[in-house]
Amino acid sequence: MGKKDVIQAEDKDAKKQFLLRLSDSLWKELSAWAQDDFRSINGQIEFLLSECVKKRKKA
């Protein structure tokens, strides 16, 4: 595995950052849900988005 392959593998696994604005009520709901599932809010949002993508691929 060459240096270029290692860099590409690292880029593929890298997390992307972006700004997300949520209403206060949605933030509170997600926060409570995340606590129930022992996740951070970021982890909860990532989990929910991943589940939606999986469902979409099945359809």
Side-chain angles (χ1 to χ4, degrees):
M1 183 181 266
K3 185 176 181 180
K4 184 178 179 181
D5 295 326
V6 172
I7 292 171
Q8 287 177 343
E10 289 173 0
D11 287 345
K12 183 179 177 183
D13 296 333
K15 301 260 181 170
K16 306 297 181 202
Q17 296 180 7
F18 69 98
L19 178 63
L20 177 63
R21 291 182 178 90
L22 302 172
S23 67
D24 188 52
S25 60
L26 180 56
W27 176 265
K28 288 176 184 175
E29 290 290 333
L30 286 170
S31 179
W33 194 358
Q35 286 180 356
D36 290 345
D37 290 349
F38 302 102
R39 291 189 182 100
S40 65
I41 294 175
N42 188 71
Q44 189 72 6
I45 292 169
E46 186 174 4
F47 171 77
L48 294 170
L49 289 172
S50 295
E51 290 298 304
C52 288
V53 168
K54 286 179 194 175
K55 287 181 183 179
R56 184 176 187 270
K57 285 182 178 181
K58 288 181 183 179

